[in-house]
Amino acid sequence: MGHARLSAGRGAGLRPAGRIVRASHARSRPELRSGRRGPWARPVGHLCSSLVGPTVAQGTRNPVAHGRRVALVSGVVSIASDADDAILVEGLYKSFGSVHALAGVDLAVPRGTVLGVLGPNGAGKTTAVKILTTLTLPDAGRVIVDGRDVVADAAAVRHSIGLAGQSAAIVEELSGRENLEFVGRLYHLGRTASKARAAELLERFGLTDAAERRAKTYSGGMMRRLDLAASLVARPRVLFLDEPTTGLDPRARNDMWEVIRDLVAGGTTLLLTTQYLDEADELADKIVVFDHGKVIAQGTADDLKDTIGGDVVEFTVADRSQHDVAMAAVRGLGDGELTTDSDGYVGVRAGRRGSAVLLEVVRQLDSSGVTANGLGVRRPSLDDVFLALTGHKAEADGEATVAEAS
């Protein structure tokens, strides 16, 4: 899934080139089949009144949906949500046959912040992003993005968002400049404005020297930067990045992190899905953890690490005869009981005080005359977090394959 490329639609509506409403939805909903121009002839805001309640669909004055006031203006539903939330999700469900990709997801993203969405392959992250960006209809629940319902007012949502997915949505036969100009024209920016915006983004992402080369000659890192640039052509207020650094080498990954930090500094609200805890740690203000279609934990990176004891200061006693001396020297420096084994390993749980505890461990071992190998601080990995939260490691459960094929 790439960034939400747009094609010209009816009136003010622009629609992603991807499947907004699949044929199966059209067959099950007669209203999608009406009109001479096919299922896109009617505004998306009229397609799914069920999620906002019959009073809204009938035009009742001052209706209320899910306890929040709803305004109906010229056939477009606008639901008042917390003004500080750029994204609000309540009770979100989605299934693909017998696979429950999302099973009651709730989350909120304040404006101008970054939400990191963690989870193994198949946890439901990509399905959630597809619904939040109007590429897939939910089975139940409510999603508000930039003050608009993603089902009842999908066209307006698409005007305010950008999406860079797991696979770059770039036309490889076009040059980098032509790709960005093409996206600008699809957004109806006009020829002059599209050229100017393309030039601005090429410079911002360090692609000016390669602007005239065909995209198929770009490296993986360059392709990802071009893809992200394309998602920013229309200056979105809310940006969705679905595993943006997967497959990148360390240098390209760090470059992408810098780009993301610059966007956030400029006021963009960002939802970032990733399998890497360190990536979420670097970029996210708050993290939610998905597993089997549910949010199983949320908080800051430190909060998540604390669920498994946070940092661990580790070392191995070089002389096994000094093992008990080493244990006595460091006991009480950390949080809770020490971890040890018959090979001389010692682990001191340090919570959020990894560096401070490490210094104290070094002092105590030195004063006790103990020689230690491999002394250092280990940060929890994604597998550590998942093992603690779910009882299993981060492994695919099949949702991604089913969801992508649907």
Side-chain angles (χ1 to χ4, degrees):
M1 178 181 67
H3 63 77
R5 294 178 296 168
L6 304 180
S7 57
R10 181 181 178 186
L14 296 175
R15 65 178 178 84
R19 301 184 298 278
I20 305 303
V21 180
R22 301 191 304 275
S24 60
H25 290 289
R27 287 194 297 270
S28 64
R29 298 185 182 184
E31 67 270 28
L32 299 185
R33 301 196 299 269
S34 62
R36 292 177 295 177
R37 298 180 64 188
W40 301 110
R42 301 188 63 167
V44 178
H46 292 175
L47 299 185
C48 301
S49 61
S50 60
L51 293 186
V52 294
T55 57
V56 176
Q58 296 164 8
T60 302
R61 177 176 295 180
N62 293 332
V64 174
H66 297 278
R68 294 176 184 264
R69 189 162 299 282
V70 179
L72 186 61
V73 181
S74 300
V76 175
V77 176
S78 177
I79 300 180
S81 60
D82 190 330
D84 293 332
D85 289 335
I87 301 171
L88 180 65
V89 178
E90 296 178 341
L92 187 60
Y93 287 81
K94 182 67 179 180
S95 296
F96 298 95
S98 61
V99 177
H100 302 297
L102 298 174
V105 170
D106 299 288
L107 58 86
V109 187
R111 293 187 184 277
T113 66
V114 179
L115 177 70
V117 180
L118 286 171
N121 288 330
K125 306 186 304 294
T126 294
T127 299
V129 169
K130 284 185 174 182
I131 293 174
L132 268 60
T133 55
T134 78
L135 293 173
T136 297
L137 287 171
D139 293 337
R142 188 170 69 107
V143 180
I144 308 298
V145 175
D146 200 31
R148 300 290 186 178
D149 189 290
V150 300
V151 175
D153 200 2
V157 170
R158 291 176 214 130
H159 277 296
S160 63
I161 67 173
L163 167 64
Q166 294 181 26
S167 300
I170 297 298
V171 181
E172 294 188 347
E173 294 303 319
L174 298 181
S175 69
R177 187 184 305 278
E178 289 169 338
N179 267 283
L180 297 184
E181 291 179 0
F182 175 65
V183 173
R185 297 300 298 277
L186 291 177
Y187 272 106
H188 299 298
L189 297 186
R191 183 182 300 274
T192 301
S194 295
K195 286 181 176 293
R197 183 61 172 158
E200 176 187 345
L201 289 169
L202 288 167
E203 181 177 359
R204 181 178 186 180
F205 285 85
L207 295 170
T208 301
D209 291 342
E212 310 308 328
R213 285 168 42 191
R214 289 186 179 184
K216 67 180 181 181
T217 68
Y218 283 16
S219 67
M222 293 171 67
M223 188 72 81
R224 295 300 286 165
R225 279 184 283 157
L226 181 62
D227 190 49
L228 181 54
S231 73
L232 297 173
V233 166
R235 295 181 172 85
R237 293 185 290 274
V238 182
L239 181 62
F240 296 86
L241 301 182
D242 192 11
E243 301 190 7
T245 64
T246 297
L248 296 185
D249 60 53
R251 180 176 179 179
R253 190 171 176 227
N254 287 332
D255 288 344
M256 184 64 73
W257 285 3
E258 287 303 317
V259 168
I260 292 172
R261 290 188 186 99
D262 288 343
L263 291 172
V264 176
T268 302
T269 302
L270 197 148
L271 186 147
L272 167 76
T273 74
T274 181
Q275 296 186 59
Y276 307 122
L277 183 59
D278 62 332
E279 183 163 85
D281 196 357
E282 285 285 336
L283 301 173
D285 297 297
K286 184 179 178 182
I287 296 170
V288 297
V289 180
F290 274 54
D291 193 35
H292 291 91
K294 298 180 180 180
V295 174
I296 60 172
Q298 58 182 306
T300 65
D302 286 337
D303 292 334
L304 293 179
K305 293 170 187 176
D306 285 349
T307 65
I308 57 173
D311 299 340
V312 178
V313 175
E314 299 178 315
F315 62 90
T316 300
V317 181
D319 183 351
R320 299 295 188 272
S321 66
Q322 292 186 303
H323 186 265
D324 290 343
V325 176
M327 292 280 288
V330 301
R331 184 172 284 112
L333 298 182
D335 302 328
E337 294 297 320
L338 300 177
T339 303
T340 186
D341 63 24
S342 59
D343 294 325
Y345 168 85
V346 178
V348 183
R349 296 190 178 278
R352 302 183 185 184
R353 302 180 296 114
S355 297
V357 173
L358 174 62
L359 291 175
E360 192 59 30
V361 166
V362 170
R363 292 191 185 99
Q364 293 300 321
L365 291 177
D366 183 61
S367 65
S368 299
V370 176
T371 300
N373 296 329
L375 184 61
V377 178
R378 181 173 67 85
R379 307 288 288 180
S381 67
L382 179 61
D383 275 348
D384 292 331
V385 173
F386 266 83
L387 188 59
L389 293 175
T390 70
H392 64 82
K393 292 187 177 181
E395 298 174 346
D397 63 27
E399 175 268 338
T401 302
V402 175
E404 294 295 340
S406 300

